[in-house]
C-alpha cells in the first residue's frame, strides 16, 4: 500500500464525469475551421450542423429511417422536449435508480402531473426489476445511471413488438455501450460525455414510431417554442437536417466534428466502446487488489464502464457517520485536486459517499494506471488523519 507520494503523475488530470476529458491530443487548434461570425442558417453554418448529424449516424450505425436532430439545452433539453411532446397518450412507466432517472420521474409526476404513471425505483448501486415494465405503456429510463455507476446490461428485456414508446436518456452510454437502436424509439445524449465535446446542445434521435406519435398526438398542455418538434401536425424535418430550432453554437458544433473525426480514427463507436471497457477492466483489477475500496454496483453485469462509482469499504471509515464518510471521500478527492493529479472525482452530491472516475473513451487507460497509486496515497493520508 502506497504511503509515499507517487513519483509519476497522470499527464491529464481530467477524470470527471461531465464535462468529460477532451480526446487525447486535443488543443484549441481543433476549432480552427469554425464558421465564426456566420449565420447558422447560411449554407456554411447549416453544412456544419448537417456534418455533425451525418458523422453521428455513420459512427453510431443509426438506422437510416431514424431522425437525428441537434436541439437546445444539452441532454436535459432533448429529454424534456420529448417528455413534453409525446407523453400523455398512454400510461407511463419510469425506471429510476439514481439522480437523473429520478429527475425524469419528477417531470412525469410532479410537472406533467400524469396520474397514470408508475415509477420503478432502486437504490444507488442497483437496478429496479425491469421485468415489471409494461411495453404497452410509454417507458422512460436512462441507459446508464451516471450518478450511481449502474447501467442496463442489454436490451433483451425490451419488447420488440411494443405498442408504447421507449424513451432512453443515453447520455453517458452512447459511444461507450452497445445501443440496441431498434428497441429504442427516442435516444438522447450530449457531446460533453463520451465524445469529450462541449455541452449546450443535445442530440435527439427518433425512430419512425416516435415520429408517428409526434405527428398524431397533441398534448393538452402548451409547448414553448424550444420544445416544438412539429408544425401543423407534421414533423419539422429541417430540425433533423441542421436547421436548428434556435441559434446553436457553431464553436461547439466544430468541436463535435473534431470529436467525431477522432471517433472515426478509433474505429467508430465500437472502437470507443473498447477503450471504455478497457478502462473499466483496469479499474476492476486495481479495486480487486485493494481492501479499502469497492464498486458501488456489486453486480459486475450492471457496472458502468463510463461513470465508475466506488465506495470506501475500510472498516474504520465504515464506522463513521454518513456525513463523516462523505468528508473522508471528499478529502481524498480534495488532496488529489490540490496535487493536480485528478479533478472532479468526488461522488455526485446526492449519491452515497464515494469516488467517481470517468472511464469514457477519451480517458487513456495508462492515465488511470498512473492515478491508482495516488488514490492509495490519498486514502492513506486521510486514514492517518482519522487515527491522529
Ligand atoms: C444520465 C444523465 N442524464 C442527464 C444528464 C444531464 O445532462 P446535461 O447536463 O448534458 O443536460 C446527465 C448529466 O450528467 C446524465 O448523466
Amino acid at each position: 500500500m502506497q504511503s509515499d507520494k507517487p513519483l509519476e503523475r497522470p499527464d491529464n488530470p481530467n477524470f470527471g464525469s461531465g464535462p468529460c476529458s477532451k480526446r487525447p491530443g486535443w488543443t484549441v487548434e481543433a476549432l480552427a475551421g469554425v464558421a465564426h461570425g456566420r449565420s447558422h442558417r447560411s449554407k456554411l453554418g447549416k453544412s456544419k450542423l448537417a456534418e455533425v448529424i451525418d458523422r453521428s449516424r455513420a459512427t453510431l450505425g443509426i438506422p437510416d429511417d431514424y431522425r437525428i436532430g441537434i436541439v437546445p439545452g444539452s441532454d436535459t433539453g432533448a429529454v424534456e422536449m420529448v417528455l413534453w411532446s409525446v407523453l400523455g397518450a398512454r400510461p407511463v412507466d419510469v425506471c429510476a435508480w439514481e439522480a437523473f432517472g429520478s429527475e425524469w420521474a419528477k417531470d412525469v409526476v410532479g410537472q406533467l402531473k400524469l396520474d397514470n404513471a408508475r415509477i420503478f425505483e432502486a437504490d444507488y448501486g442497483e437496478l429496479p426489476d425491469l421485468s415489471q415494465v409494461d411495453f404497452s405503456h410509454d417507458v422512460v429510463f436512462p441507459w446508464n445511471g451516471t450518478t450511481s455507476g449502474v447501467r442496463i446490461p442489454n436490451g433483451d428485456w425490451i419488447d420488440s413488438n411494443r405498442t408504447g414508446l421507449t424513451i432512453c436518456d443515453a447520455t453517458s452510454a452512447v459511444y461507450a455501450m452497445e445501443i440496441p437502436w431498434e428497441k429504442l424509439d427516442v435516444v438522447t445524449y450530449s457531446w460533453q460525455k463520451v465524445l469529450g465535446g462541449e455541452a449546450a446542445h443535445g442530440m435527439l434521435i427518433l425512430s419512425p414510431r416516435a415520429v408517428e406519435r409526434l405527428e398524431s398526438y397533441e398534448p393538452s398542455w402548451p409547448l414553448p417554442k424550444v420544445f416544438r418538434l412539429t408544425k401543423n401536425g407534421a414533423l419539422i424535418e429541417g430540425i433533423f437536417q441542421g436547421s436548428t430550432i434556435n441559434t446553436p453554437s457553431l464553436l461547439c458544433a466544430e468541436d463535435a466534428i473534431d470529436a467525431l473525426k477522432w471517433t472515426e480514427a478509433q474505429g467508430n463507436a465500437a472502437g470507443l466502446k473498447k477503450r471504455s471497457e478497457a478502462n473499466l477492466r483496469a479499474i476492476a483489477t486495481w479495486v480487486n487488489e485493494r481492501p479499502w475500496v469497492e464498486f458501488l454496483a456489486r453486480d459486475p453485469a450492471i457496472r458502468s464502464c463510463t461513470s465508475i462509482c466506488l465506495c470506501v469499504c475500510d472498516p474504520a471509515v465504515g464506522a463513521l457517520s454518513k456525513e463523516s464518510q462523505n468528508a473522508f471521500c471528499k478529502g481524498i478527492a480534495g488532496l488529489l485536486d490540490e496535487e493536480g493529479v485528478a479533478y472532479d472525482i468526488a461522488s455526485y452530491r446526492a449519491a452515497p459517499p464515494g469516488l467517481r472516475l470517468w472511464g469514457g473513451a477519451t480517458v487513456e487507460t495508462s492515465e488511470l494506471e498512473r492515478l491508482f497509486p495516488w488514490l492509495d496515497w490519498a486514502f492513506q493520508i486521510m486514514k492517518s488523519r482519522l487515527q491522529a
Side-chain angles (χ1 to χ4, degrees):
M1 187 70 75
Q2 190 85 35
S3 53
D4 295 334
K5 215 183 247 190
L7 295 174
E8 248 195 319
R9 289 163 186 269
D11 291 328
N12 177 1
N14 295 330
F15 296 104
S17 294
C20 302
S21 178
K22 308 299 275 182
R23 64 159 171 88
W26 183 94
T27 68
V28 285
E29 282 305 307
L31 307 174
V34 64
H36 51 75
R38 294 300 309 274
S39 164
H40 58 297
R41 307 216 187 270
S42 67
K43 202 169 160 210
L44 178 66
K46 253 203 279 192
S47 77
K48 293 281 186 185
L49 299 163
E51 183 175 350
V52 173
I53 291 172
D54 293 345
R55 287 184 189 273
S56 303
R57 186 185 298 281
T59 52
L60 286 167
I62 297 171
D64 289 347
D65 57 352
Y66 278 47
R67 309 300 208 286
I68 306 173
I70 299 170
V71 299
S74 206
D75 180 67
T76 307
V79 172
E80 291 190 327
M81 72 171 56
V82 164
L83 299 187
W84 261 254
S85 296
V86 304
L87 293 189
R90 285 172 178 263
V92 187
D93 288 355
V94 185
C95 301
W97 57 93
E98 48 77 66
F100 288 102
S102 302
E103 285 299 330
W104 312 144
K106 276 189 235 160
D107 275 351
V108 169
V109 177
Q111 297 297 319
L112 290 171
K113 303 197 189 306
L114 297 178
D115 47 19
N116 49 3
R118 304 189 300 171
I119 315 295
F120 301 118
E121 288 175 300
D123 278 344
Y124 277 80
E126 285 163 25
L127 268 186
D129 176 5
L130 299 173
S131 69
Q132 295 179 84
V133 168
D134 180 339
F135 287 99
S136 69
H137 298 178
D138 292 330
V139 188
V140 180
F141 56 98
W143 194 272
N144 180 71
T146 319
T147 65
S148 72
V150 169
R151 64 167 146 177
I152 291 177
N154 56 56
D156 295 354
W157 57 288
I158 301 173
D159 186 351
S160 296
N161 300 313
R162 62 195 173 279
T163 46
L165 298 179
T166 45
I167 300 167
C168 179
D169 166 9
T171 197
S172 54
V174 172
Y175 286 108
M177 300 172 197
E178 201 62 47
I179 303 295
W181 298 103
E182 67 294 345
K183 296 232 173 171
L184 303 175
D185 296 303
V186 178
V187 177
T188 66
Y189 65 95
S190 148
W191 302 327
Q192 54 127 337
K193 296 287 186 199
V194 184
L195 289 176
E198 295 299 302
H201 301 301
M203 295 300 282
L204 173 62
I205 301 173
L206 303 175
S207 75
R209 297 182 62 250
V211 173
E212 191 188 354
R213 169 72 64 80
L214 282 163
E215 292 187 332
S216 62
Y217 166 74
E218 198 175 332
S220 58
W221 44 78
L223 284 181
K225 175 186 159 86
V226 288
F227 277 15
R228 271 179 248 150
L229 295 165
T230 58
K231 192 173 176 193
N232 301 328
L235 190 74
I236 304 174
E237 293 283 357
I239 296 173
F240 303 91
Q241 293 156 4
S243 296
T244 47
I245 299 173
N246 63 335
T247 314
S249 162
L250 290 176
L251 200 60
C252 295
E254 193 65 25
D255 190 60
I257 291 171
D258 171 74
L260 289 163
K261 286 182 180 168
W262 174 75
T263 300
E264 287 155 11
Q266 305 306 310
N268 296 330
L272 297 199
K273 178 173 172 281
K274 265 193 214 144
R275 288 173 63 87
S276 189
E277 291 292 355
N279 286 339
L280 174 59
R281 273 199 305 280
I283 292 177
T285 303
W286 171 74
V287 166
N288 289 339
E289 289 167 355
R290 294 293 178 283
W292 65 268
V293 61
E294 65 187 5
F295 285 96
L296 181 57
R298 294 293 170 88
D299 176 0
I302 61 169
R303 266 178 210 156
S304 171
C305 60
T306 55
S307 57
I308 300 168
C309 294
L310 305 172
C311 36
V312 174
C313 57
D314 184 274
V317 179
L320 301 172
S321 67
K322 192 169 166 204
E323 209 181 2
S324 303
Q325 288 181 34
N326 222 352
F328 187 95
C329 295
K330 284 206 159 63
I332 294 179
L335 282 170
L336 297 178
D337 182 302
E338 271 167 37
E339 289 288 340
V341 297
Y343 298 143
D344 312 320
I345 64 161
S347 62
Y348 186 76
R349 59 187 184 275
L355 300 168
R356 180 173 58 162
L357 302 177
W358 184 251
T362 53
V363 172
E364 301 271 27
T365 307
S366 56
E367 295 284 50
L368 282 166
E369 285 165 349
R370 277 195 278 272
L371 173 64
F372 298 148
W374 284 95
L375 288 163
D376 290 330
W377 169 81
F379 167 74
Q380 287 300 341
I381 301 270
M382 288 306 297
K383 189 157 174 198
S384 64
R385 288 183 189 169
L386 270 188
Q387 288 156 347

